[in-house]
Amino acid sequence: LRMDFGPLSVGVSNQNLWLGPGQFSSLLMSNNAPGFNHISFGTNRPLKTPIGSFEIKIIGGTLFNNKNQNFENGNLKLTGVYGNTSYEKYLSSISVSYSPLFFKNFYLTANRAFTLPAQEKPSSKLTDYYLIALKPLFRNEYQDNSLPIDQVLSGSAKYVFPKEHAEVYFEYGWNDGSSNSRDLLLDMSHSAASIYGFKKIQYLTEKTYLNFEAEATNMSQKPSYLQRNAGNWYIHGNGGYINENQILGAGSGWGNDVQTFVISLNKGWNKYGIKFQHIAHNPMGVTNILANDGGAPYWDDYAYGIQLKQKYSH
């Protein structure tokens, strides 16, 4: 249910949400986990200003941990303290996009999401609970020690080539906030993940075209984990960034690296294509010299698929 007030909207829904430019994965929000009940406020079209166009979306929603299900961010096991209890969490997120007036077809986006245990009587200060995603960027300006408050955040850029029917995009995110600007600059790869991709359509005739898509998602820990272990993406003190025990972001699994390639021939309603995907499961865990048992076993998946859509009569 949504009500529009000019360019602004207020809504309540349980639909799936997608944040970020990725086509096959998203660091913060995808359709991997079930949709959740949420209230949203934001724009329903770009707001034009003298310096460019802006879009914004603020969300407050309810997530659930289910003790009777295995955890996607725990190798499908019932492990850890959070695996023994079912409980409810509150999600606060904000997404802001900007397209500069002086740089057409270029889009910058910032996403941030906080999760914390649901409270019956939350603080009357909005930025302590309902709008906690509006907290200052660095942790030295707020404390997250008294409650298991966790965050994920990302920034992305996308450039579209209209004449070439192509686009390139990049998203870089963190599974944890930095203490201050010095912490961020000295160890930018701490708890970091990224998505790179491009898409290209090549017309052969007016109604026939080739579609190329490629995307790489990197969620394995960087070498800086030797000095400061960040744990894998989507692992947090309050059970992780999940709903119904399923990851809200990239669905390939925690700490994994993924490469996806697709090529298809499209003609009217019909489509014939092939798809290849490689998933390296927690590659940093394989060489984890900090592990007592020498690290996890080597585990890669290779998937090959056919995309086929054929219209017959009506």
Side-chain angles (χ1 to χ4, degrees):
L1 176 66
R2 193 183 84 184
M3 292 189 67
D4 293 340
F5 304 91
L8 302 177
S9 296
V10 178
V12 292
S13 176
N14 63 352
Q15 65 180 349
N16 279 102
L17 304 169
W18 191 287
L19 293 176
Q23 299 172 83
F24 304 103
S25 288
S26 171
L27 294 181
L28 261 66
M29 195 74 68
S30 75
N31 54 9
N32 179 64
F36 54 91
N37 296 332
H38 63 270
I39 300 173
S40 63
F41 170 79
T43 55
N44 53 53
R45 61 177 184 264
L47 292 176
K48 294 183 179 180
T49 72
I51 60 172
S53 299
F54 289 87
E55 293 180 80
I56 185 171
K57 189 159 193 176
I58 298 173
I59 297 166
T62 304
L63 309 175
F64 291 95
N65 283 10
N66 189 336
K67 69 176 182 180
N68 297 318
Q69 294 182 9
N70 297 330
F71 285 75
E72 238 183 19
N73 60 344
N75 286 332
L76 297 180
K77 296 177 181 178
L78 286 170
T79 56
V81 177
Y82 57 81
N84 301 326
T85 356
S86 295
Y87 66 92
E88 183 180 312
K89 291 185 294 185
Y90 176 73
L91 168 78
S92 171
S93 77
I94 182 171
S95 176
V96 180
S97 297
Y98 170 56
S99 178
L101 183 68
F102 51 86
F103 199 170
K104 290 185 177 181
N105 306 315
F106 183 60
Y107 304 90
L108 294 170
T109 303
N111 302 308
R112 191 185 196 193
F114 272 84
T115 56
L116 68 162
Q119 300 173 21
E120 291 185 5
K121 296 181 179 180
S123 170
S124 58
K125 187 178 180 181
L126 292 179
T127 55
D128 282 346
Y129 188 76
Y130 291 111
L131 297 178
I132 194 172
L134 299 180
K135 283 281 191 185
L137 182 61
F138 297 117
R139 285 206 312 265
N140 63 354
E141 298 183 50
Y142 71 91
Q143 291 295 318
D144 61 355
N145 302 321
S146 57
L147 286 171
I149 301 172
D150 295 305
Q151 71 167 316
V152 286
L153 61 162
S154 74
S156 67
K158 180 173 75 170
Y159 187 69
V160 179
F161 303 84
K163 293 182 180 180
E164 301 296 329
H165 309 291
E167 66 178 49
V168 293
Y169 55 88
F170 166 62
E171 183 177 18
Y172 197 87
W174 293 269
N175 196 47
D176 191 17
S178 299
S179 297
N180 47 44
S181 57
R182 181 179 183 273
D183 181 22
L184 176 64
L185 292 174
L186 289 180
D187 193 5
M188 190 169 286
S189 65
H190 174 69
S191 75
S194 60
I195 294 177
Y196 306 82
F198 78 91
K199 182 175 182 178
K200 163 72 174 171
I201 290 176
Q202 181 63 51
Y203 278 91
L204 304 178
T205 66
E206 185 179 352
K207 294 185 178 181
T208 305
Y209 61 90
L210 290 171
N211 184 26
F212 302 90
E213 297 171 276
E215 185 174 288
T217 302
N218 184 297
M219 294 185 294
S220 61
Q221 285 209 70
K222 310 305 180 286
S224 67
Y225 87 93
L226 293 170
Q227 292 181 312
R228 184 167 54 153
N229 190 1
N232 279 319
W233 259 73
Y234 309 122
I235 292 291
H236 282 138
N238 62 18
Y241 189 62
I242 55 176
N243 181 45
E244 294 289 351
N245 302 15
Q246 297 175 62
I247 295 170
L248 287 168
S252 58
W254 56 297
N256 294 351
D257 295 338
V258 189
Q259 300 85 42
T260 306
F261 301 92
V262 177
I263 181 172
S264 63
L265 174 66
N266 300 263
K267 185 177 182 180
W269 293 91
N270 303 327
K271 180 177 184 177
Y272 318 96
I274 55 174
K275 181 177 180 179
F276 166 75
Q277 189 169 68
H278 164 241
I279 302 179
H281 291 267
N282 192 17
M284 191 56 71
V286 177
T287 58
N288 189 353
I289 63 173
L290 300 179
N292 296 327
D293 58 0
Y298 183 82
W299 177 14
D300 275 29
D301 280 335
Y302 298 88
Y304 310 86
I306 296 175
Q307 295 182 325
L308 178 61
K309 184 168 68 172
Q310 177 71 42
K311 183 182 179 184
Y312 175 73
S313 186
H314 295 290

Coordinates of all heavy atoms in Angstrom, one line a residue, residues 252-306:
S252 N 24.8 -16.1 -2.5 CA 25.8 -17.1 -2.8 C 26.4 -17.7 -1.6 O 27.0 -18.8 -1.6 CB 26.9 -16.6 -3.7 OG 27.5 -15.5 -3.1
G253 N 26.2 -17.1 -0.4 CA 26.8 -17.6 0.8 C 27.8 -16.6 1.4 O 28.3 -15.7 0.7
W254 N 28.1 -16.8 2.7 CA 29.0 -15.8 3.4 C 30.5 -16.1 3.0 O 30.9 -17.2 3.0 CB 28.7 -15.9 4.9 CG 28.9 -17.3 5.5 CD1 28.2 -18.4 5.2 CD2 29.9 -17.6 6.4 NE1 28.6 -19.4 5.9 CE2 29.7 -19.0 6.7 CE3 30.9 -17.0 7.1 CZ2 30.4 -19.7 7.6 CZ3 31.7 -17.7 8.0 CH2 31.4 -19.0 8.3
G255 N 31.2 -15.0 2.8 CA 32.6 -15.1 2.6 C 33.0 -15.7 1.2 O 34.1 -16.1 1.0
N256 N 32.0 -15.7 0.3 CA 32.3 -16.4 -1.0 C 32.6 -15.3 -2.1 O 32.2 -14.2 -2.0 CB 31.0 -17.1 -1.5 CG 30.7 -18.3 -0.6 OD1 31.6 -18.7 0.3 ND2 29.6 -19.0 -0.7
D257 N 33.3 -15.8 -3.1 CA 33.6 -15.0 -4.3 C 32.8 -15.7 -5.5 O 32.8 -16.9 -5.7 CB 35.1 -15.0 -4.6 CG 35.8 -14.2 -3.5 OD1 35.2 -13.4 -2.8 OD2 37.1 -14.5 -3.4
V258 N 32.2 -14.8 -6.3 CA 31.3 -15.3 -7.4 C 31.6 -14.6 -8.7 O 31.8 -13.4 -8.7 CB 29.8 -15.1 -7.0 CG1 28.9 -15.9 -8.0 CG2 29.5 -15.6 -5.6
Q259 N 31.6 -15.4 -9.8 CA 31.7 -14.8 -11.1 C 30.6 -15.4 -12.0 O 30.4 -16.6 -12.0 CB 33.1 -15.1 -11.8 CG 34.3 -14.5 -11.0 CD 34.8 -15.5 -10.0 OE1 34.8 -16.7 -10.2 NE2 35.1 -14.9 -8.8
T260 N 29.9 -14.5 -12.6 CA 28.7 -14.9 -13.5 C 28.9 -14.3 -14.9 O 29.2 -13.1 -15.0 CB 27.4 -14.4 -12.8 OG1 27.3 -14.9 -11.5 CG2 26.2 -14.9 -13.6
F261 N 28.6 -15.1 -15.9 CA 28.7 -14.7 -17.3 C 27.4 -15.2 -18.0 O 27.1 -16.4 -17.8 CB 29.9 -15.2 -18.0 CG 31.2 -14.8 -17.4 CD1 31.8 -15.6 -16.4 CD2 31.8 -13.6 -17.7 CE1 33.0 -15.2 -15.8 CE2 33.0 -13.2 -17.1 CZ 33.6 -14.0 -16.2
V262 N 26.8 -14.3 -18.8 CA 25.6 -14.7 -19.5 C 25.7 -14.1 -20.9 O 26.1 -13.0 -21.1 CB 24.3 -14.2 -18.8 CG1 23.1 -14.5 -19.7 CG2 24.2 -14.8 -17.4
I263 N 25.3 -14.9 -21.9 CA 25.2 -14.4 -23.3 C 23.9 -15.0 -23.9 O 23.6 -16.2 -23.7 CB 26.4 -14.7 -24.2 CG1 26.2 -14.2 -25.6 CG2 26.7 -16.2 -24.2 CD1 27.4 -14.3 -26.5
S264 N 23.1 -14.2 -24.5 CA 21.8 -14.7 -25.0 C 21.5 -14.0 -26.3 O 21.8 -12.8 -26.6 CB 20.7 -14.5 -24.0 OG 20.5 -13.1 -23.7
L265 N 20.7 -14.7 -27.2 CA 20.2 -14.2 -28.4 C 18.7 -14.0 -28.2 O 18.0 -14.9 -27.8 CB 20.4 -15.2 -29.6 CG 19.8 -14.8 -30.9 CD1 20.4 -13.5 -31.5 CD2 19.9 -16.0 -31.9
N266 N 18.3 -12.7 -28.4 CA 16.9 -12.4 -28.1 C 16.2 -11.9 -29.5 O 16.8 -11.1 -30.2 CB 16.8 -11.2 -27.1 CG 17.4 -11.6 -25.8 OD1 16.7 -12.0 -24.9 ND2 18.7 -11.5 -25.7
K267 N 15.1 -12.5 -29.7 CA 14.4 -12.2 -30.9 C 12.9 -12.1 -30.6 O 12.2 -13.1 -30.4 CB 14.6 -13.2 -32.0 CG 14.0 -12.9 -33.4 CD 14.4 -13.9 -34.4 CE 13.8 -13.5 -35.8 NZ 14.1 -14.5 -36.8
G268 N 12.3 -10.9 -30.6 CA 11.0 -10.7 -30.2 C 10.7 -11.3 -28.8 O 11.4 -10.9 -27.8
W269 N 9.7 -12.2 -28.7 CA 9.4 -12.9 -27.4 C 10.4 -14.0 -27.1 O 10.4 -14.5 -25.9 CB 8.0 -13.5 -27.5 CG 6.9 -12.4 -27.6 CD1 6.4 -11.9 -28.7 CD2 6.3 -11.8 -26.5 NE1 5.4 -11.0 -28.4 CE2 5.3 -10.9 -27.0 CE3 6.4 -11.9 -25.1 CZ2 4.5 -10.1 -26.2 CZ3 5.6 -11.1 -24.3 CH2 4.6 -10.2 -24.9
N270 N 11.2 -14.4 -28.0 CA 12.0 -15.6 -27.8 C 13.4 -15.3 -27.3 O 14.0 -14.2 -27.6 CB 12.1 -16.4 -29.1 CG 10.8 -16.8 -29.7 OD1 9.9 -17.0 -28.9 ND2 10.6 -16.8 -31.0
K271 N 14.0 -16.2 -26.5 CA 15.3 -16.0 -25.9 C 16.1 -17.3 -25.9 O 15.5 -18.3 -25.5 CB 15.2 -15.4 -24.5 CG 16.5 -15.2 -23.8 CD 16.3 -14.5 -22.5 CE 17.6 -14.2 -21.8 NZ 17.3 -13.5 -20.5
Y272 N 17.3 -17.3 -26.3 CA 18.2 -18.5 -26.3 C 19.5 -18.1 -25.7 O 20.2 -17.3 -26.3 CB 18.3 -19.1 -27.7 CG 17.1 -19.2 -28.5 CD1 16.8 -18.1 -29.4 CD2 16.1 -20.2 -28.3 CE1 15.6 -18.1 -30.1 CE2 14.9 -20.2 -29.1 CZ 14.7 -19.2 -30.0 OH 13.5 -19.2 -30.7
G273 N 19.9 -18.6 -24.6 CA 21.1 -18.2 -24.0 C 21.8 -19.3 -23.1 O 21.2 -20.3 -22.9
I274 N 23.1 -19.0 -22.8 CA 23.8 -19.8 -21.9 C 24.3 -19.0 -20.7 O 24.6 -17.8 -20.8 CB 25.0 -20.6 -22.6 CG1 25.9 -19.5 -23.3 CG2 24.5 -21.6 -23.6 CD1 27.1 -20.1 -23.9
K275 N 24.5 -19.6 -19.5 CA 24.9 -18.9 -18.3 C 25.9 -19.8 -17.6 O 25.8 -21.0 -17.5 CB 23.7 -18.7 -17.4 CG 24.0 -18.0 -16.1 CD 22.7 -17.7 -15.3 CE 23.0 -17.0 -14.0 NZ 21.8 -16.7 -13.3
F276 N 27.0 -19.1 -17.1 CA 28.1 -19.8 -16.4 C 28.3 -19.1 -15.1 O 28.3 -17.8 -15.1 CB 29.4 -19.9 -17.2 CG 30.5 -20.2 -16.4 CD1 30.7 -21.6 -16.0 CD2 31.5 -19.3 -16.0 CE1 31.8 -21.9 -15.2 CE2 32.5 -19.6 -15.2 CZ 32.7 -20.9 -14.8
Q277 N 28.4 -19.8 -14.0 CA 28.7 -19.2 -12.7 C 29.7 -20.1 -11.9 O 29.6 -21.3 -11.9 CB 27.4 -19.1 -11.9 CG 27.6 -18.3 -10.6 CD 26.2 -17.9 -10.0 OE1 25.5 -18.8 -9.5 NE2 25.9 -16.7 -10.0
H278 N 30.7 -19.3 -11.3 CA 31.7 -20.0 -10.5 C 31.6 -19.4 -9.1 O 31.6 -18.2 -8.9 CB 33.1 -19.8 -11.0 CG 34.2 -20.1 -10.1 ND1 35.1 -19.1 -9.6 CD2 34.5 -21.2 -9.4 CE1 35.9 -19.6 -8.8 NE2 35.6 -20.9 -8.6
I279 N 31.5 -20.3 -8.1 CA 31.5 -19.8 -6.7 C 32.6 -20.5 -5.9 O 32.7 -21.7 -5.9 CB 30.1 -20.2 -6.0 CG1 28.9 -19.7 -6.7 CG2 30.1 -19.8 -4.5 CD1 27.6 -20.0 -6.1
A280 N 33.5 -19.6 -5.4 CA 34.6 -20.1 -4.5 C 34.1 -19.9 -3.1 O 33.9 -18.8 -2.6 CB 35.8 -19.3 -4.8
H281 N 33.8 -21.0 -2.4 CA 33.3 -20.9 -1.1 C 34.4 -20.6 0.0 O 35.3 -21.4 0.2 CB 32.7 -22.3 -0.7 CG 31.4 -22.6 -1.5 ND1 30.1 -22.3 -1.0 CD2 31.2 -23.1 -2.7 CE1 29.2 -22.6 -1.9 NE2 29.9 -23.2 -2.9
N282 N 34.2 -19.4 0.5 CA 35.1 -19.0 1.6 C 36.6 -19.3 1.3 O 37.2 -20.0 2.1 CB 34.7 -19.6 2.9 CG 35.4 -19.0 4.2 OD1 35.9 -17.9 4.1 ND2 35.3 -19.7 5.3
P283 N 37.1 -18.7 0.2 CA 38.5 -19.1 -0.1 C 39.5 -18.6 0.9 O 40.6 -19.3 1.1 CB 38.7 -18.3 -1.4 CG 37.7 -17.2 -1.4 CD 36.5 -17.8 -0.7
M284 N 39.2 -17.6 1.7 CA 40.2 -17.2 2.7 C 40.2 -18.2 3.9 O 41.2 -18.4 4.5 CB 39.8 -15.8 3.3 CG 40.8 -15.2 4.2 SD 42.4 -15.1 3.4 CE 42.1 -13.8 2.2
G285 N 39.1 -18.9 4.1 CA 39.0 -20.0 5.1 C 39.9 -21.1 4.8 O 40.4 -21.9 5.7
V286 N 40.2 -21.4 3.5 CA 41.0 -22.5 3.0 C 42.5 -22.2 3.5 O 43.2 -23.2 3.9 CB 41.0 -22.7 1.5 CG1 41.9 -23.8 1.0 CG2 39.6 -23.0 1.1
T287 N 42.9 -21.0 3.4 CA 44.3 -20.7 3.7 C 44.4 -19.9 5.1 O 45.4 -19.3 5.3 CB 44.9 -19.8 2.7 OG1 44.1 -18.6 2.5 CG2 44.9 -20.5 1.3
N288 N 43.4 -20.1 5.9 CA 43.3 -19.4 7.2 C 44.4 -19.9 8.2 O 44.2 -20.9 8.8 CB 41.9 -19.5 7.8 CG 41.7 -18.6 9.0 OD1 42.7 -17.9 9.4 ND2 40.5 -18.5 9.4
I289 N 45.5 -19.2 8.3 CA 46.5 -19.7 9.2 C 46.2 -19.5 10.6 O 46.9 -20.0 11.5 CB 47.9 -19.0 8.8 CG1 47.8 -17.5 9.1 CG2 48.3 -19.3 7.4 CD1 49.1 -16.8 8.9
L290 N 45.1 -18.7 10.9 CA 44.7 -18.5 12.3 C 43.9 -19.7 12.8 O 43.6 -19.8 14.0 CB 43.9 -17.2 12.4 CG 44.6 -15.9 11.9 CD1 43.7 -14.7 12.1 CD2 45.9 -15.7 12.7
A291 N 43.4 -20.5 11.9 CA 42.5 -21.6 12.3 C 43.3 -22.7 13.0 O 44.4 -23.1 12.5 CB 41.7 -22.2 11.1
N292 N 42.7 -23.3 14.0 CA 43.4 -24.3 14.8 C 43.5 -25.6 13.9 O 44.4 -26.4 14.1 CB 42.6 -24.6 16.1 CG 42.6 -23.5 17.0 OD1 43.6 -22.7 17.1 ND2 41.5 -23.3 17.8
D293 N 42.5 -25.9 13.0 CA 42.5 -27.1 12.3 C 43.2 -26.9 10.9 O 43.0 -27.8 10.0 CB 41.1 -27.6 12.1 CG 40.2 -26.6 11.5 OD1 40.7 -25.5 11.1 OD2 39.0 -26.9 11.3
G294 N 43.8 -25.8 10.7 CA 44.5 -25.6 9.4 C 43.6 -25.0 8.3 O 44.1 -24.7 7.2
G295 N 42.4 -24.7 8.6 CA 41.5 -24.0 7.6 C 40.4 -25.0 7.1 O 40.4 -26.2 7.3
A296 N 39.5 -24.4 6.3 CA 38.4 -25.1 5.7 C 38.8 -25.9 4.5 O 39.9 -25.6 3.9 CB 37.3 -24.1 5.4
P297 N 38.1 -26.9 4.1 CA 38.4 -27.7 2.9 C 38.2 -26.8 1.6 O 37.3 -25.9 1.6 CB 37.5 -28.9 2.9 CG 36.3 -28.4 3.7 CD 36.9 -27.5 4.8
Y298 N 38.9 -27.1 0.6 CA 38.8 -26.4 -0.7 C 37.4 -26.8 -1.3 O 37.1 -28.0 -1.4 CB 39.9 -26.8 -1.6 CG 39.9 -26.1 -3.0 CD1 40.4 -24.9 -3.1 CD2 39.4 -26.7 -4.1 CE1 40.4 -24.2 -4.3 CE2 39.4 -26.1 -5.3 CZ 39.9 -24.8 -5.4 OH 39.9 -24.2 -6.6
W299 N 36.6 -25.8 -1.7 CA 35.3 -26.1 -2.2 C 34.9 -25.0 -3.2 O 34.7 -23.9 -2.9 CB 34.3 -26.1 -1.0 CG 32.9 -26.3 -1.4 CD1 32.4 -26.8 -2.6 CD2 31.7 -26.1 -0.6 NE1 31.0 -26.8 -2.6 CE2 30.6 -26.4 -1.4 CE3 31.5 -25.7 0.7 CZ2 29.3 -26.3 -0.9 CZ3 30.2 -25.6 1.2 CH2 29.1 -25.9 0.4
D300 N 34.8 -25.4 -4.5 CA 34.4 -24.6 -5.5 C 33.2 -25.2 -6.3 O 33.1 -26.4 -6.4 CB 35.5 -24.3 -6.6 CG 36.4 -23.2 -6.2 OD1 36.6 -22.9 -5.0 OD2 37.0 -22.5 -7.1
D301 N 32.2 -24.4 -6.7 CA 31.1 -24.8 -7.5 C 31.1 -24.2 -8.8 O 31.5 -23.0 -9.0 CB 29.8 -24.4 -6.8 CG 29.3 -25.3 -5.7 OD1 29.8 -26.5 -5.7 OD2 28.6 -24.8 -4.8
Y302 N 30.8 -25.0 -9.9 CA 30.7 -24.5 -11.2 C 29.3 -24.9 -11.8 O 29.0 -26.0 -11.7 CB 31.8 -25.1 -12.1 CG 33.2 -24.8 -11.7 CD1 33.9 -25.6 -10.7 CD2 33.9 -23.7 -12.2 CE1 35.1 -25.3 -10.3 CE2 35.2 -23.4 -11.7 CZ 35.8 -24.2 -10.8 OH 37.1 -23.9 -10.4
A303 N 28.6 -23.9 -12.2 CA 27.2 -24.1 -12.6 C 27.1 -23.6 -14.1 O 27.6 -22.6 -14.5 CB 26.2 -23.4 -11.8
Y304 N 26.4 -24.5 -14.9 CA 26.2 -24.2 -16.3 C 24.7 -24.3 -16.6 O 24.1 -25.2 -16.2 CB 27.0 -25.1 -17.2 CG 28.4 -25.3 -16.9 CD1 28.8 -26.2 -15.9 CD2 29.4 -24.5 -17.5 CE1 30.1 -26.4 -15.6 CE2 30.7 -24.7 -17.1 CZ 31.1 -25.6 -16.2 OH 32.4 -25.7 -15.8
G305 N 24.1 -23.3 -17.2 CA 22.7 -23.3 -17.5 C 22.3 -22.9 -18.9 O 23.1 -22.2 -19.6
I306 N 21.1 -23.2 -19.2 CA 20.5 -22.8 -20.5 C 19.4 -21.9 -20.2 O 18.5 -22.2 -19.4 CB 20.1 -24.1 -21.3 CG1 21.3 -24.9 -21.7 CG2 19.3 -23.6 -22.6 CD1 20.9 -26.2 -22.4

